[in-house]
Amino acid sequence: MEALSPVTLGFLGSLAAGAMTAVGALPVLVSKTPDRAIRDLALGFAAGVMLAASFFSLIIPSLEASELRYGGSVIPAAIACLSILLGIGMVALMNERLPHEHFQQGREGPEAASLRRVWLFIIAITIHNLPEGLAVGVAFGAGGREGGLPLAIGIGLQNAPEGLAVAVSLLGEGYSRWRSWSIAALTGLIEPLGGLMGAGIVTVSQTLLPWGLAFAAGAMLYVISHEIIPETHRSGHQNKATLGLSVGLVLMLFLDVSLG
């Protein structure tokens, strides 16, 4: 692993994290799917992992990288704030411009009557997963194995409940167990593309490093606030979702400190 370039590490790390989507969806093939309360608990866990990763694996390293270049002034804070807002804006724009569908919220974005419902849902998951792959790639590009490994593990852990949620939703719409699992697994493949892009950008120019780290954090924060938390609170399981978020947050903090 030490001989691999940061770009290769970013691609492989995000590929492994994305593959956990398929692992998480496996229960739909072999057993009775968990009830909604358990799924909301698991999605809350995913939100907690992403929330901790946004700050401890991305925003704080962004500030540190800026301080090395510009010193301890207002510039590092300004770069982080602007980049976070740009990341949020990028995903919000994708959410607005690309037709997609959530099984609970219904359709969002422009009208696209010619697209089948399942493809609208796949687009929604793509919007969700791209920032995660981008974040893993940026982390590997910035800090190599030490910088990217904790985030890749954390994102992989939170991808498992997301994969299960996707597969269960498809199963509820009448798709077969095998097809539900296959589509859920395929949604994770967008992450290595994001990882390759993120690692490539920050390794080409170190000037872009603090921007890329905070940009990826902003993109993930949008997904947490706009997608995951509202979904976990929709069915009256707020307490379980908050418990999951708390466990996910402290676990990701532990991984970042112990492995970073």
Side-chain angles (χ1 to χ4, degrees):
M1 183 177 287
E2 298 293 338
L4 298 177
S5 70
V7 174
T8 303
L9 286 172
F11 175 77
L12 294 177
S14 55
L15 177 62
M20 287 299 294
T21 305
V23 175
L26 283 175
V28 301
L29 292 177
V30 298
S31 65
K32 181 180 177 181
T33 56
D35 62 22
R36 184 57 191 261
I38 298 300
R39 282 147 49 198
D40 285 342
L41 174 70
L43 284 175
F45 172 85
V49 169
M50 292 176 69
L51 187 61
S54 297
F55 284 90
F56 299 113
S57 298
L58 295 170
I59 293 175
I60 291 176
S62 171
L63 291 169
E64 292 173 347
S66 291
E67 288 171 357
L68 289 175
R69 181 175 292 271
Y70 303 108
S73 65
V74 298
I75 295 178
I79 288 174
C81 291
L82 181 57
S83 300
I84 290 169
L85 293 176
L86 288 172
I88 292 172
M90 185 272 289
V91 184
L93 183 63
M94 291 173 61
N95 200 61
E96 180 71 23
R97 299 289 182 175
L98 294 176
H100 60 285
E101 178 161 346
H102 306 275
F103 281 119
Q104 296 297 325
Q105 295 171 256
R107 296 196 179 195
E108 293 184 356
E111 289 296 325
S114 61
L115 288 177
R116 293 183 61 189
R117 193 167 192 249
V118 65
W119 291 108
L120 291 173
F121 186 55
I122 289 171
I123 292 173
I125 299 302
T126 299
I127 295 172
H128 184 136
N129 284 345
L130 182 62
E132 297 173 4
L134 181 70
V136 173
V138 168
F140 274 109
R145 184 184 66 84
E146 292 79 9
L149 185 60
L151 185 58
I153 293 174
I155 293 297
L157 288 174
Q158 66 91 33
N159 274 340
E162 287 183 8
L164 180 60
V166 172
V168 168
S169 296
L170 290 166
L171 198 63
E173 291 298 306
Y175 291 91
S176 68
R177 289 181 177 272
W178 176 254
R179 193 176 184 196
S180 297
W181 177 84
S182 299
I183 293 173
L186 287 173
T187 61
L189 295 182
I190 191 63
E191 294 201 10
L193 298 179
L196 191 62
M197 180 173 62
I201 289 173
V202 298
T203 53
V204 166
S205 174
Q206 287 298 304
T207 303
L208 295 175
L209 174 57
W211 294 86
L213 287 165
F215 180 92
M220 288 212 301
L221 288 171
Y222 179 91
V223 170
I224 296 166
S225 176
H226 189 76
E227 304 284 350
I228 302 181
I229 291 179
E231 184 70 22
T232 61
H233 286 216
R234 186 165 288 110
S235 300
H237 303 133
Q238 297 91 330
N239 290 339
K240 289 184 175 63
T242 301
L243 173 62
L245 185 146
S246 303
V247 173
L249 190 148
V250 297
L251 176 62
M252 185 61 213
L253 172 59
F254 177 81
L255 289 173
D256 191 77
V257 173
S258 61
L259 298 179

